[in-house]
Amino acid sequence: MQSELENAKKPLVSIVVPVYNSGNYLRKCLDSLVNQTLKNIEIIAVDDGSTDDSISILKEYKENYPNKVIVQSIAHVHGAGAPRNVAIKIARADYVSFCDADDIMDLHSAELLYNRALEGDCDIVCAPAWHVTGRDKVLYGVLKEPISTEKLILSGQIYLWSKLIHKRLLHIAGKIPENISYEDLGYSLVVHSYAKKIGYIDHPIYFYYKRYGSDSNNYIALRNLDTIMAWDYAIKNCNSDYLEYVFGYVARHINVNLRKRWVFTDRVISHLKKLWTKLKDNEIIKNDEYLYNRLERFATLPDAPMARNVFIGGFGGTLSDELIERIQKTAFYDGCNLTILNEQNCSIAENKFIKDAYDASEFDLVNGYFALKFIIEYGGIYLHKRIIIDAPFNYVRYCEAFFSLLDEKNYSQWVFGGMPQSVILKKVLDTFYDENQHGNPFYSLSNRIKDVLAERSIQVNSITNSLVTVFSPDVMVCDITDHSSLQPEPHICIHDFTDLNQEEEYITVKKSTLRALTILPNANDELNELKKENALLRNKIRDIEFIK
């Protein structure tokens, strides 16, 4: 009889847990929920078609805590929106909280949030949370009271799990978007825009674990593009009285994406351009001079980005099918048009210098010449067979032209690109028609690039009048980025010199050793100067500082 009465008793808080292949972390999560100091709660776990042992763990907890744990199963759906919607629909409590299956809640969370909600008859109660990375943790979500709807929208508290929300507010906001990632980003903004009575506690209630390699923290994962759909969802569904503030938040998050998710720079800029007519007159954005100027610079870039064309040097040897397939798959995340430069599509006899170079087996010069011609006509990037791609080249699609430093003095002749009719690329191509080119018919493309950039006063760390970007060696020559970082510095490709490692100018070294050399506190002065130069370059690259 006692058990039946307890089952009939309405819970004070419903905690929603979407679960998908979370078996490695699920027990710790559930332990933090079933042991909450607020006893009259229900935990609604919805398994989203897991293929690991998640469902068996859920059934075990349901068996051990029959009055607290409810388990539902659905066919797998991309994103956590669908399982959360299922849980909200069956939740019996007036207040709903959210917990991800690989995180944990403070044991006092439900009690503290609920008491504050009752105290103010709140639509929503917010709290800070710990973001945990390895052994480090940082407190996020600290707010200053009093808290208004405007402040809540702009605060950046886009996580559902740092709040307790009344079901009436969830009903007003409607269903959480399904079939997308980052659904909480868009949905939270909608919820915030309708919140009138807002409560806050300064006790951290949650431990959010940021795990390197997890899908949500993989900066190169295609799911990051779903942030764009989340912004559009928020703009379309928010309370129109607070649309200006939602646009203000979206503008800030666009800036975050340009930094953190740099792989998708082209798509983010394209979306920014579509929103710019709404953003440019927004007083919230205009009052942030740095943000406004930065977004304006991107929004006013050429409307059409560089075409996703890839030109591979095919003169001087065969290219393996494996190499061609790898480049086709990795050069751009959304596919490419690949052209192999060779005798079939290039006329050797059209230029005396090139004919002489071809006869002398100076194939780097031949490949570079024809690459320049094709890029000037069609736009795209040139890749030598030495180039190994580590991240897509979408990052460079709004450059009129880009080059890479091979070291502190020399430019690479194996990776470059630009838009059709690029002025700077035309200048480099013109050097092949100068019969007095330094008295050396085989003057390297690397030196030609260097001379043209110097002639036009385009130097590393300088600003001129063209959209030309010079990348430091860590972006396109060697990999010294820390891939254990959740926000790694931009790095796209490396130059493969393994066949030359017996020569005096070349060595083989572990990447970890190379990274260590860049942070040595007592390195010699020459290395320190190079480090300073690269640090300045990285700052520019991080901000996509085009040389204007």
Side-chain angles (χ1 to χ4, degrees), residues 80-304:
R84 283 172 172 159
N85 283 330
V86 169
I88 292 170
K89 188 173 182 179
I90 64 176
R92 293 180 294 152
D94 289 334
Y95 284 96
V96 177
S97 185
F98 297 86
C99 183
D100 286 352
D102 55 352
D103 297 331
I104 62 175
M105 291 181 71
D106 182 280
L107 297 181
H108 301 277
S109 297
E111 182 178 5
L112 292 171
L113 290 168
Y114 181 72
N115 288 341
R116 180 66 184 90
L118 282 187
E119 178 187 316
D121 186 26
C122 298
D123 298 320
I124 187 170
V125 181
C126 305
W130 292 109
H131 286 210
V132 184
T133 306
R135 296 181 180 180
D136 299 325
K137 63 180 184 179
V138 179
L139 191 61
Y140 281 85
V142 177
L143 301 176
K144 293 182 179 180
E145 298 192 84
I147 302 167
S148 63
T149 304
E150 296 87 344
K151 288 181 180 178
L152 185 57
I153 292 171
L154 294 173
S155 69
Q157 278 213 349
I158 50 99
Y159 306 111
L160 288 173
W161 38 249
S162 59
K163 306 172 179 70
L164 186 69
I165 307 172
H166 201 289
K167 282 188 75 175
R168 64 176 175 246
L169 186 56
L170 294 175
H171 288 153
I172 293 171
K175 290 181 66 175
I176 301 172
E178 300 180 358
N179 290 302
I180 70 168
S181 298
Y182 299 100
E183 72 291 331
D184 52 348
L185 189 160
Y187 188 70
S188 292
L189 289 172
V190 176
V191 169
H192 294 173
S193 72
Y194 285 102
K196 298 187 182 302
K197 297 181 179 180
I198 304 166
Y200 175 75
I201 60 173
D202 60 7
H203 182 86
I205 63 163
Y206 196 89
F207 294 85
Y208 166 56
Y209 287 88
K210 303 179 73 172
R211 296 180 174 89
Y212 171 70
S214 69
D215 197 34
S216 61
N217 286 307
N218 183 354
Y219 71 99
I220 203 170
L222 286 174
R223 73 191 295 271
N224 287 304
L225 288 171
D226 287 3
T227 56
I228 292 174
M229 288 189 283
W231 301 335
D232 288 346
Y233 174 88
I235 291 168
K236 181 179 178 180
N237 293 279
C238 72
N239 183 345
S240 59
D241 291 343
Y242 295 95
L243 181 59
E244 180 182 16
Y245 294 91
V246 171
F247 270 123
Y249 176 81
V250 168
R252 293 178 182 179
H253 205 268
I254 287 174
N255 191 37
V256 169
N257 267 13
L258 288 169
R259 293 176 178 275
K260 181 178 179 181
R261 300 181 176 98
W262 54 267
V263 168
F264 306 101
T265 293
D266 59 336
R267 194 71 65 87
V268 177
I269 290 176
S270 177
H271 195 68
L272 168 62
K273 286 174 165 292
K274 294 177 182 178
L275 295 179
W276 186 239
T277 55
K278 300 287 187 181
L279 299 178
K280 67 179 182 178
D281 296 322
N282 187 298
E283 291 301 322
I284 296 166
I285 304 170
K286 291 171 72 174
N287 287 335
D288 186 335
E289 184 177 359
Y290 167 77
L291 176 65
Y292 186 89
N293 290 340
R294 180 167 157 77
L295 294 185
E296 182 182 41
R297 186 169 73 248
F298 289 117
T300 54
L301 287 173
D303 287 336

